[in-house]
Amino acid sequence: MERIMISNIKMKKYNKKLPYSYTLGAFPTIELLKKYPKKVMKVFTHSDLNSVTQEEIITGICNANNIFFECNDRIVEKLRDKENCFVIGVFEKYNNELDKDSNHVVLVNPSDMGNMGTIIRTCVGFGIKNLAVIEPAVDIFNPKVVRASMGAVFHVNICRYDSFDTYYAIYKESHDMFPFMLNGAKALQDYEIEMKVDRAFSLIFGNEATGLPDTYSEIGQSILINYLHEVDSLNLSIATGIGLYEFTKKYFKQFVST
């Protein structure tokens, strides 16, 4: 696919219908440039950028990959949503496929951009590089999601599915399913997690407000995270982080010690 030429495109505030999106800030822009240089359409910097190191990294990657870049205060000030944003990358939206042999996180109808970004970043931190998103869901390419992920979104295979049934039909033979539910049959703190050589796992989490419907208790092994009920629920990104920690604990200890 040819790179979209940006010279004749009028830069406008992000809209989900646009075929491109933005990275707001130097760090996510650098992550984008490192991972998907061929998807980068242009990079804008602001004259107030005072990091020589960041500027050298950005210009170096742009020059090496023939990516247009320019210092343009007017465009940066138009597109940014915070005054301390001095770098903006413009990139084509793209599609990923999930690795069938790797572990997955599955988010069913996530609706909060901050949670989505945090979950993506947490996934990368625990070595999970495959994320399934069940529609309807938040726009993963919204600049707020990209920024909340601190650029980790570019290090994860993210695939969207029109329903959980569609995802399940593809991966039911290769993955053990673990829906996290308020009425889960097994408490995570007491559950003996067994890693299988021939099967990966899918950790399934529901919407921030409603969680997973009761029908998910029939899919795989449902899991409950015990907590003190002085609060009515855990934040989705927190619950996902707890699940990821417990399910990757053995691997993570081995990884850190090597």
Side-chain angles (χ1 to χ4, degrees):
M1 183 181 294
E2 294 184 0
R3 181 181 293 170
I4 297 174
M5 298 306 295
I6 197 171
S7 57
N8 296 322
I9 297 177
K10 184 178 180 181
M11 294 290 95
K12 59 181 72 175
K13 285 287 189 179
Y14 178 75
N15 184 301
K16 187 176 182 178
K17 295 180 180 179
L18 293 174
Y20 56 87
S21 184
Y22 307 118
T23 52
L24 304 181
F27 190 83
T29 302
I30 290 171
E31 293 301 299
L32 166 67
L33 287 166
K34 289 179 177 178
K35 188 66 177 178
Y36 288 108
K38 292 183 179 180
K39 292 296 182 183
V40 183
M41 299 159 63
K42 196 163 188 175
V43 176
F44 297 104
T45 61
H46 193 280
S47 59
D48 286 342
L49 177 65
N50 58 12
S51 172
V52 175
T53 300
Q54 290 178 337
E55 189 171 4
E56 288 179 347
I57 293 172
I58 291 167
T59 56
I61 298 175
C62 286
N63 284 327
N65 292 277
N66 195 29
I67 298 169
F68 298 105
F69 68 95
E70 67 175 353
C71 182
N72 192 318
D73 290 3
R74 181 181 60 83
I75 289 181
V76 171
E77 290 168 6
K78 175 182 178 180
L79 297 178
R80 69 186 182 184
D81 57 2
K82 291 186 177 181
E83 290 188 1
N84 63 350
C85 173
F86 304 122
V87 180
I88 293 179
V90 188
F91 66 96
E92 297 176 53
K93 294 179 179 178
Y94 55 87
N95 296 313
N96 289 134
E97 292 185 0
L98 303 187
D99 183 351
K100 196 168 186 177
D101 297 322
S102 297
N103 299 318
H104 297 173
V105 165
V106 183
L107 300 180
V108 180
N109 312 137
S111 61
D112 184 272
M113 289 184 283
N115 280 340
M116 175 63 83
T118 301
I119 289 169
I120 292 171
R121 188 179 180 189
T122 305
C123 284
V124 174
F126 285 103
I128 305 298
K129 299 294 185 70
N130 293 270
L131 176 63
V133 179
I134 310 302
E135 298 281 7
V138 66
D139 175 15
I140 61 172
F141 286 122
N142 189 294
K144 293 181 180 179
V145 174
V146 176
R147 183 174 58 199
S149 79
M150 291 298 289
V153 66
F154 303 119
H155 296 273
V156 178
N157 296 322
I158 302 178
C159 190
R160 306 175 78 99
Y161 298 87
D162 58 359
S163 70
F164 179 79
D165 289 342
T166 301
Y167 171 85
Y168 185 71
I170 299 172
Y171 296 106
K172 63 181 179 181
E173 300 300 331
S174 59
H175 283 63
D176 289 329
M177 304 286 168
F178 295 92
F180 280 66
M181 309 178 65
L182 291 176
N183 58 349
K186 297 285 186 179
L188 178 62
Q189 289 89 334
D190 302 324
Y191 184 64
E192 184 62 32
I193 299 168
E194 179 184 356
M195 297 297 179
K196 300 179 181 178
V197 176
D198 59 337
R199 291 179 68 82
F201 61 72
S202 295
L203 308 185
I204 309 164
F205 299 88
N207 174 269
E208 289 88 344
T210 60
L212 291 174
D214 290 342
T215 53
Y216 278 76
S217 63
E218 302 171 4
I219 299 170
Q221 176 62 67
S222 62
I223 298 292
L224 163 71
I225 299 177
N226 278 326
Y227 57 90
L228 298 178
H229 290 280
E230 294 176 76
V231 294
D232 60 354
S233 64
L234 295 176
N235 173 274
L236 175 60
S237 60
I238 296 297
T240 305
I242 293 171
L244 283 168
Y245 172 74
E246 288 295 336
F247 270 80
T248 62
K249 187 186 296 184
K250 294 178 182 177
Y251 165 79
F252 192 67
K253 284 182 178 179
Q254 180 181 8
F255 176 79
V256 170
S257 64
T258 58

